[in-house]
Amino acid sequence: MSATCPVEGTHPVDEKLPALKMATTGLQHVAAMYAGVVAPPLIVGAAIGLSATDLTFLTGACLFTAGLATFLQTLGVWKIGARLPFVNGVTFAGVAPMTAVVASTKDKTDALPIIYGAVIVAGLLGFLAAPIFCKAVRFFPPVVTGTVITLIGVSLLPVAFGWAQGPDPAAEDYGSADYLTLAAVTLLLVLLLRRFTRGFVKQIAVLLGMVAGTLVAIPFGVTDFGPVADADVIGFPTPFHFGAPQFHLAAILSLCVVMVVSMTESTADMLALGEIVERPADERTIAAGLRADTLGSALSPLFNGFMCSAFAQNIGLVAMTRIRSRYVVAAGGGFLVLMGLCPMAASLIAVVPRPVLGGAGVVLFGSVAASGIQTLVKAGLDKDNNVLIVAVSLAVGIIPITAPEFYHAFPETARIVLDSGISTGCVAAVALNLVFNHLGKGRDAQEVTHPMEAPAMVHAVPHE
């Protein structure tokens, strides 16, 4: 059931909420994704050695382009855009290859133009490949989508745990009792709001929890209002501020690999979101969504942004609040654009301490994993084949989380894929589903009542 009462005949995804509700719930989406959007430009900018002014400019540009990409995805143009409550922003998968480009560039002033050239080419190629890539949707039955959705949530939880420990992993107080207490207090506040409030207040519990957590953090001395005081009121991401794009083959190949990874994760995210909002993503929807991803990426360098992709943490927010309107997420995209044009507005979200984000993130990302488990319940886990698919795929997907250096001996380009648990788990689930449920049709299926029990033979059960 939707948390709101849509007009009769209108799907909750297409519902337009009252202005105040649209704004607050849209802002909640921005708060959930903000740290993920600004982290890549901060990391890449620091590697280049950008000045504080240029670093602020680069961060604002990434917020601005994330908003434009979100508009493309939610509102859509022609055959572009999934038209689902789908948030787009800078993909973290590109950080490693982009920093590698920086390291290999002698004149650091050329680093960003080289990155931008590679992103443009990768985006355009991805746009052309979208109608072909979307055909993979038939290889994503519930046993695959449930596994991937679960992996999305599990893969994001370490991000929340890292935020909970503080802003700087190299600092002496990283993981201190003060930081962990702030995260725990924020988590408790969100849970209390979800348990003891109703209606609109309950739906924006995460946003209210982060505001309250930020206020609680003031006596701890970890709430920094300096970014607000230092930020300009108005700023615009001047096209090609860092120079015209340059096209280097090695950088292009590296970012094309990232684009494939990004498209794989976006496909999984669209399938997950389609299940949550009860509008399953078919081939046409996935193709349109991938076009929005890739076109948004290709246009992003024009305004000094990076490659864009889906933000899985916002899927958790949709699952938890049950507000499924794509116009709410479009409102969030509007806030992102405004933040890109108004650095002072962007700095307001930057005031929220990382431990507070971490406490809220536990709820958001855990909700994604819970949605995956709900999908797996429908996947027919009474069949031994499906149990094996889920078991092995989850194990493969969790490797980068539990053993981050597991693939350290592999080439850097291979690690772009292997270090993404979502991608490796997704590939494993699709491959195993083909082997066990498609190849050799007509073989007897096996059913189990428990994964550790011996299977019983069931004759003439058709495979899906």
Side-chain angles (χ1 to χ4, degrees):
M1 292 294 292
S2 175
T4 56
C5 298
V7 176
E8 186 176 353
T10 301
H11 193 284
V13 169
D14 299 317
E15 181 188 2
K16 295 181 180 179
L17 305 182
L20 178 60
K21 194 170 188 177
M22 190 97 71
T24 52
T25 49
L27 187 61
Q28 187 170 237
H29 275 284
V30 174
M33 71 178 293
Y34 179 83
V37 175
V38 301
L42 289 176
I43 294 170
V44 175
I48 295 172
L50 294 180
S51 65
T53 301
D54 279 342
L55 198 57
T56 300
F57 181 92
L58 183 63
T59 303
C62 287
L63 289 167
F64 180 78
T65 53
L68 296 182
T70 299
F71 283 153
L72 269 180
Q73 196 65 266
T74 54
L75 303 179
V77 177
W78 185 57
K79 295 182 180 180
I80 301 168
R83 292 170 174 82
L84 290 171
F86 208 45
V87 177
N88 275 41
V90 181
T91 176
F92 209 88
V95 171
M98 287 193 293
T99 52
V101 170
V102 173
S104 64
T105 305
K106 292 182 179 180
D107 186 351
K108 300 305 179 188
T109 59
D110 289 333
L112 282 175
I114 291 172
I115 290 171
Y116 291 147
V119 171
I120 290 172
V121 174
L124 293 176
L125 291 176
F127 185 85
L128 295 175
I132 302 171
F133 203 92
C134 73
K135 301 294 183 183
V137 67
R138 66 180 182 273
F139 300 120
F140 288 82
V143 68
V144 174
T145 56
T147 301
V148 174
I149 296 167
T150 303
L151 277 173
I152 290 172
V154 172
S155 298
L156 287 170
L157 281 170
V159 176
F161 301 151
W163 289 344
Q165 295 180 80
D168 184 6
E172 292 183 3
D173 62 349
Y174 186 71
S176 67
D178 285 351
Y179 286 147
L180 297 183
T181 298
L182 277 175
V185 168
T186 303
L187 173 59
L188 180 61
L189 288 169
V190 173
L191 293 176
L192 289 174
L193 287 167
R194 289 289 298 175
R195 174 63 182 84
F196 295 107
T197 61
R198 294 182 180 180
F200 181 54
V201 173
K202 184 176 183 177
Q203 292 168 348
I204 62 169
V206 173
L207 179 61
L208 294 177
M210 285 192 288
V211 171
T214 302
L215 295 176
V216 171
I218 293 176
F220 287 82
V222 297
T223 304
D224 182 14
F225 292 96
V228 179
D230 297 336
D232 294 328
V233 177
I234 299 175
F236 183 79
T238 312
F240 299 130
H241 174 82
F242 296 101
Q246 300 178 24
F247 302 95
H248 290 209
L249 182 60
I252 290 171
L253 292 176
S254 182
L255 270 295
C256 281
V257 172
V258 174
M259 180 58 72
V260 173
V261 173
S262 174
M263 292 173 74
T264 301
E265 293 189 0
S266 287
T267 299
D269 288 342
M270 276 183 272
L271 290 166
L273 187 59
E275 289 288 330
I276 290 169
V277 303
E278 298 177 0
R279 179 183 275 180
D282 55 15
E283 285 188 15
R284 181 180 297 179
T285 301
I286 292 173
L290 292 176
R291 287 191 189 99
D293 266 12
T294 52
L295 182 61
S297 295
L299 294 177
S300 188
L302 173 64
F303 299 104
N304 312 285
F306 295 143
M307 186 179 292
C308 294
S309 182
F311 265 55
Q313 53 261 53
N314 293 78
I315 297 176
L317 193 57
V318 173
M320 191 187 71
T321 64
R322 302 300 295 163
I323 297 178
R324 296 178 273 179
S325 171
R326 60 191 173 105
Y327 296 104
V328 164
V329 176
F335 281 116
L336 289 170
V337 169
L338 288 176
M339 287 177 177
L341 298 175
C342 178
M344 183 173 286
S347 66
L348 288 174
I349 300 262
V351 168
V352 180
R354 287 292 178 87
V356 172
L357 285 173
V362 170
V363 178
L364 294 176
F365 307 156
S367 296
V368 178
S371 296
I373 294 170
Q374 288 176 330
T375 303
L376 285 175
V377 170
K378 310 172 189 175
L381 293 186
D382 55 329
K383 294 184 176 67
D384 185 51
N385 286 349
N386 288 346
V387 171
L388 289 173
I389 293 169
V390 174
V392 175
S393 301
L394 285 177
V396 170
I398 290 173
I399 287 173
I401 303 170
T402 57
E405 296 302 317
F406 189 83
Y407 299 111
H408 74 276
F410 284 73
E412 191 67 35
T413 51
R415 291 193 62 179
I416 294 172
V417 178
L418 295 174
D419 284 344
S420 169
I422 299 171
S423 295
T424 54
C426 181
V427 170
V430 170
L432 290 172
N433 180 61
L434 283 172
V435 171
F436 282 100
N437 289 336
H438 288 269
L439 299 181
K441 285 189 175 183
R443 295 171 56 191
D444 290 337
Q446 295 177 329
E447 292 192 0
V448 294
T449 55
H450 188 278
M452 299 306 293
E453 293 181 7
M457 300 304 294
V458 179
H459 298 285
V461 176
H463 296 284
E464 293 182 357

